[in-house]
Amino acid sequence: MDYLDSLEAESVYILREAFAKLDNIAVLWSLGKDSNVVLWLIRKAFLGHVPFPVMHVDTGKKFPEMYAFRERYSKEWGLRLLVEPCPPIDAVDPTLPPAARSAARKTHGLNDALKKYGFRGLVAGIRRDEEGTRAKERYFSPRGEGNVWNLRDQPPEFWNQYMTTFPPDVHVRIHPLLHWTELDIWRYTKRENIPLISLYFAKDGKRYRSLGDQDITSPMASNADTLDAIIAELETTRVAERSGRAMDHEAEDAFERLRASGYL
């Protein structure tokens, strides 16, 4: 078993634990590289089938390439796709910085969807190395009333022993990719030949490294136009993965405030 095999095996174990221990689970699909890997792993874990509804919380501001990808692969992979809308910007906390406020629409849309469907658990493709606040997460992360995350009161997870028993009224986030890095995602995507949105590949000296809404996401300077070139670039770059996300640069605590209120 090589390194990617061990990453895959642990994630598959977490997904099967979630399926066995929690009822009424959905998978969040942002259409990006990480959530595509999550769907790929779920199909491996359940013999080619995705036994959960797959939910895209849609701000209506995604790139056209992302919508085309969603329509194509939701059909090719046989997904039970739920597309849930987000409220207008006026419904969002006005004290947040502008880009964070725009991103927070997604939290409101997600919370509305949770009330609508009553999902007990949500599988999300976040990684510890993406951003400091996400590094504080757990594989099985309980949420309080209103989907609020108390990052100072989380269950311990030692030696791959996961807490999977929660009171029936507790909502749980499941994070099967916490132990992966950005490079791991790309190396696994190459090995498995997982489909990707074309925006990740360089065109005219720029490419997107992290995909969000069109109005708050920027491409980075890059000539990496193949999977091998992207991997080689990431092996040496010192540029942060989310450097193109405007909300990460507005205020020191903006992202933590979003996460605490339910943001992905």
Side-chain angles (χ1 to χ4, degrees):
M1 178 180 286
D2 67 14
Y3 176 63
L4 291 178
D5 290 333
S6 66
L7 291 176
E8 179 189 85
E10 184 168 358
S11 297
V12 165
Y13 175 78
I14 291 164
L15 290 165
R16 288 175 175 163
E17 277 289 287
F19 180 77
K21 301 292 179 59
L22 298 168
D23 296 326
N24 199 16
I25 295 176
V27 184
L28 290 168
W29 191 24
S30 70
L31 312 172
K33 60 186 186 301
D34 302 304
S35 61
N36 288 341
V37 167
V38 169
L39 285 176
W40 198 263
L41 290 166
I42 291 173
R43 294 170 75 220
K44 282 203 165 187
F46 301 101
L47 306 178
H49 175 61
V50 179
F52 319 115
V54 176
M55 183 163 63
H56 178 215
V57 182
D58 190 359
T59 60
K61 293 186 174 183
K62 300 301 180 187
F63 294 88
E65 293 89 343
M66 297 174 76
Y67 289 117
F69 187 91
R70 183 183 75 188
E71 297 311 307
R72 175 178 176 180
Y73 286 100
S74 62
K75 294 174 183 173
E76 288 194 15
W77 291 343
L79 306 180
R80 286 183 286 156
L81 179 65
L82 305 174
V83 178
E84 298 301 317
C86 298
I89 193 73
D90 293 345
V92 177
D93 180 359
T95 67
L96 284 168
R101 195 178 180 208
S102 180
R105 292 179 58 230
K106 196 171 178 180
T107 304
H108 287 253
L110 175 60
N111 288 340
D112 289 345
L114 290 176
K115 291 178 184 174
K116 179 179 177 181
Y117 296 105
F119 289 126
R120 177 82 191 288
L122 282 177
V123 179
I126 68 166
R127 294 178 281 106
R128 288 195 181 105
D129 75 327
E130 280 182 273
E131 194 276 334
T133 303
R134 285 177 170 164
K136 302 173 184 175
E137 266 290 4
R138 299 292 189 268
Y139 289 97
F140 289 84
S141 176
R143 259 49 179 180
E145 186 176 351
N147 201 23
V148 172
W149 179 46
N150 184 354
L151 76 167
R152 295 174 181 80
D153 183 19
Q154 301 185 78
E157 288 183 335
F158 297 128
W159 307 292
N160 293 343
Q161 300 296 308
Y162 309 121
M163 178 176 171
T164 57
T165 302
F166 299 95
D169 58 340
V170 171
H171 170 72
V172 181
R173 296 283 181 88
I174 302 111
H175 303 128
L177 297 185
L178 270 189
H179 53 299
W180 294 55
T181 67
E182 185 185 10
L183 253 177
D184 295 333
I185 292 293
W186 283 106
R187 288 170 174 154
Y188 187 74
T189 296
K190 179 188 175 186
R191 188 184 86 168
E192 301 288 311
N193 196 26
I194 300 173
L196 284 164
I197 291 171
S198 59
L199 296 168
Y200 284 117
F201 299 98
K203 183 178 180 182
D204 299 327
K206 291 186 177 181
R207 74 177 187 90
Y208 288 88
R209 192 163 153 195
S210 178
L211 293 176
D213 286 354
Q214 290 188 64
D215 57 343
I216 55 175
T217 310
S218 301
M220 57 177 279
S222 172
N223 291 312
D225 56 359
T226 65
L227 282 172
D228 285 333
I230 289 173
I231 290 169
E233 179 183 86
L234 295 180
E235 286 173 337
T236 58
T237 186
R238 299 181 67 85
V239 177
E241 179 179 0
R242 292 178 60 91
S243 59
R245 296 292 194 103
M247 59 191 246
D248 287 33
H249 311 294
E250 287 182 323
E252 186 176 350
D253 67 340
F255 197 86
E256 185 166 316
R257 289 173 64 187
L258 287 174
R259 290 280 302 160
S261 63
Y263 189 76
L264 303 176

